[in-house]
Each structure stands twice: as C-alpha cells, then as structure tokens.
Amino acid sequence: MKPLIDELHKAFESRVRLGIMSVLAVNDSMDFNALKEYLQVTDGNLASHLKALESEEFIGVKKTFVGRKPNTTYAMTKKGKKAFDDHLKALENLIKLYRK
Amino acid sequence: MLDYGISAHFYISSSIYQTSFEINSFFMKEKEDYISDIAEMRSMMERSTRFMSLSAMGVILVGVYALAGVFIAYQVIGFDPRETISPDMTNRLLGFGGMLMMISIITVLLLSYKKASGNHEKFWNPTFQRLFIHALIPLLTGGILILILVAKDLPLFIIPFSLVFYGLMLYTAGKFTYPAFQRVGLLDIALGLFCTYFTGYSLGSWAIGFGLLHIALGLYLYFRYER
C-alpha cells in the first residue's frame, strides 16, 4: 500500500496546482487571466503555484505582448504531462483499492 | 480480531492490529479526498474546454418559439409546403423566419449571460469563443445557401436546408458545449434530408426539429446539469 501513496507526486498535493495541470492537460496553452478565472484564486496565489510547477519543469512559460500589454501563457511540458498522467493513474488505483 | 486472553502473542498481534488500523484510518480519511480530487480535475477539464453556461431554459424557450412560429406560418401567413409558393409568400416567410431567429438568439444569449455571471464566469471566455466560431461556420454556410435558393427561385428547399445546416451546427457545437447537442444535431440532419425529398412534410419536420427537439434537449439539460 505504501508505494502507491509514494506515486502521488508531492507537487500535486495542492488543489490549485492540480487544477492548473488539469486545465493545461486538455488545452494547448492558457493565459494567466483565463487560469485565474477557472481556478477562482488571487493573482499572488496563482503566481506562486505556477512558479512552483515551473521550477519542477512541469509547465513552460511564454511571454508575449498583446498590443502593449504583456501576456503570459502557460503550457504543459512533456515531463509535466507524464507526471500528471502518472498521478491520475495512482489516484484511480487508490480508489479502486477501496472499492474491493 | 483482538484476542483478550493473555498470551505471548498478545502484544505482537495487537501491535500489528494497531498498525493496520492506523494505515486503514489513514486511507479512510484520504479516500474522500482522492475522490474529490478526481472530481475536481474532471470538472476543471470540462470547464476549460466546454462552454457549460448555455442556458437550458433558453433552449426550451427556443423550442416554444419555434412551435408558435410554425403555427403562425401555417394559420396566419397561410404557408403550406404542399402548394406552390409565390415569391411574395417566400419573402414573408423569410422575414418572419429571420425575426424568429433573432428573438431566439437574443433569448439564449441573455439567459446564458445571466447563468455565466451566476457561475462567476466571464461570458466571453475562451470556451465560448471556440463554441461561437465553430457554430458560426455551418450556420453562415446554411444562411448563404438559403439566400441562393431564394435567388434561384427554389423556396421549397428553404425549410429542409435550414434543418440540415442547423443540425450540422448542433453536431459541431456538441464538441464545445454539452455533448447531448450532437445527438439532436444528427436527428435534425436526418429530418432535413427526409423533407428535402418529401417536401410536403417540411413544415411538420421543422416543428419536430426546431420545436419538440429543442424542448426535449432543454429539459434534458435542465434535469442533468442545472437542477
């Protein structure tokens, strides 16, 4: 039982991070404001979670300009996709275990 | 499980029991968390790819307008697809149909806007934009085709083609909002093809496709997602 728990990645312990990864798993890329809207969190909160995922190299950041306004978009990296899929699988396995 | 008799194994077995109990309760506490984690992830994926603020009540109202519209077209305007359609009748029908479409669109947009603000969601968000662009293409194609039919004096096919292209629009839209749109879209396409051949049934098919199917779809959405 213990190894199953170990498979749950530490980076995904937070709901916000899990939410960010879920959104990026099904969208090619997403900008900061759209993420903020889906997750219903403050700027600072979202930024710190994004930074954490970025330092794990789970997400990539692209900074562009829309007119004069800076626009930051985020996308999932291959490494992030794999970690996310593994985490999802581990969660499903854990739940299956209880059903028995 | 617990042995109350004093034996050499007592402490060992009880400590094993204790440990397994702790693991168990650790799991039990987290179980609900895992399930809600997955539910949250699923809803996040859905909310970020599909526009889920489309109002079910709006869809039902569109169906009611359509039924009323068929009644007015037949009884008041005097349209009968089994008779020859005069150019004058075509114009009146087009004007009335266009008005009905405008009222329907405004109703759905207003009610959806209200629902989106209730969900603390921006109305003009990426999911709505995607839905809008993908729905617009079959709808514009159908609209232009119908104007060409009018110009070429083929009014018999206006109603059947409106069903076919509306069905195509719903089928496409089903990927960007509620999946149930796809099934209704396929039914509308089938009805449209049917009355392209049997043009005498076009008004009846339109009443089913735009009236009854919208009401059924709206009721389904209401009970499935909104209640």
Side-chain angles (χ1 to χ4, degrees), chain A residues 11-100:
Chain A
F12 298 134
E13 266 169 11
S14 132
R15 272 287 159 80
V16 179
R17 278 177 226 172
L18 211 51
I20 294 169
M21 293 301 275
S22 302
V23 171
L24 293 180
V26 288
N27 291 281
D28 293 339
S29 69
M30 186 66 65
D31 67 31
F32 188 88
N33 288 328
L35 274 173
K36 202 177 88 179
E37 193 194 316
Y38 291 130
L39 295 158
Q40 310 270 316
V41 286
T42 60
D43 281 25
N45 196 345
L46 180 60
S48 75
H49 285 300
L50 284 168
K51 193 130 269 166
L53 288 171
E54 203 189 324
S55 64
E56 291 272 2
E57 293 174 1
F58 285 174
I59 60 172
V61 185
K62 208 166 135 195
K63 287 195 165 106
T64 50
F65 280 86
V66 177
R68 274 185 199 166
K69 272 164 104 185
N71 187 41
T72 319
T73 59
Y74 299 87
M76 204 179 244
T77 60
K78 264 193 188 145
K79 191 180 165 194
K81 174 88 182 124
K82 190 182 177 305
F84 181 74
D85 287 346
D86 289 347
H87 183 80
L88 196 60
K89 220 172 278 166
L91 276 180
E92 278 168 353
N93 285 337
L94 273 170
I95 288 169
K96 251 184 238 156
L97 211 68
Y98 296 126
R99 295 241 166 91
K100 275 180 192 161

Side-chain angles (χ1 to χ4, degrees), chain B:
Chain B
M1 226 178 149
L2 243 176
D3 185 9
Y4 286 102
I6 298 170
S7 74
H9 296 294
F10 176 75
Y11 289 102
I12 301 165
S13 65
S14 90
S15 79
I16 288 172
Y17 172 74
Q18 198 85 27
T19 320
S20 79
F21 177 76
E22 268 165 14
I23 289 175
N24 247 339
S25 72
F26 172 70
F27 271 107
M28 295 319 275
K29 201 185 79 194
E30 305 260 309
K31 176 188 171 181
E32 298 306 316
D33 290 343
Y34 296 143
I35 290 177
S36 69
D37 267 6
I38 287 201
E40 175 98 6
M41 286 157 83
R42 200 165 286 160
S43 116
M44 219 28 108
M45 288 176 179
E46 195 170 66
R47 257 162 45 87
S48 65
T49 48
R50 291 175 186 273
F51 183 70
M52 303 302 274
S53 289
L54 207 80
S55 158
M57 185 48 79
V59 176
I60 295 173
L61 279 177
V62 169
V64 173
Y65 297 164
L67 284 182
V70 168
F71 180 80
I72 292 170
Y74 190 71
Q75 293 287 340
V76 181
I77 302 176
F79 171 74
D80 191 334
R82 287 162 299 187
E83 292 165 6
T84 353
I85 305 163
S86 68
D88 186 43
M89 176 65 78
T90 308
N91 286 339
R92 266 187 288 172
L93 204 64
L94 269 186
F96 180 63
M99 200 181 73
L100 208 62
M101 197 174 81
M102 290 305 284
I103 298 173
S104 300
I105 291 174
I106 290 170
T107 303
V108 169
L109 287 183
L110 273 180
L111 288 176
S112 302
Y113 178 79
K114 226 178 102 187
K115 190 177 161 189
S117 353
N119 290 349
H120 301 290
E121 218 172 38
K122 249 187 258 157
F123 184 64
W124 186 249
N125 65 16
T127 55
F128 182 78
Q129 289 163 25
R130 224 169 346 189
L131 171 67
F132 182 78
I133 288 163
H134 284 86
L136 201 64
I137 288 170
L139 221 52
L140 270 185
T141 312
I144 293 169
L145 192 67
I146 283 170
L147 290 179
I148 294 173
L149 288 176
V150 174
K152 294 281 178 187
D153 201 21
L154 294 163
L156 216 53
F157 297 111
I158 295 175
I159 290 182
F161 279 30
S162 73
L163 269 169
V164 170
F165 281 89
Y166 190 73
L168 286 170
M169 186 278 272
L170 283 185
Y171 187 78
T172 312
K175 282 182 219 143
F176 305 98
T177 176
Y178 307 102
F181 275 45
Q182 292 203 315
R183 269 166 282 161
V184 177
L186 289 177
L187 287 173
D188 274 344
I189 293 170
L191 275 170
L193 291 176
F194 166 78
C195 67
T196 305
Y197 194 85
F198 301 103
T199 46
Y201 293 104
S202 61
L203 201 58
S205 301
W206 206 86
I208 297 172
F210 278 87
L212 297 182
L213 284 181
H214 268 134
I215 294 173
L217 174 66
L219 286 174
Y220 169 79
L221 296 180
Y222 178 76
F223 286 108
R224 173 87 207 276
Y225 298 98
E226 288 190 13
R227 215 176 50 149

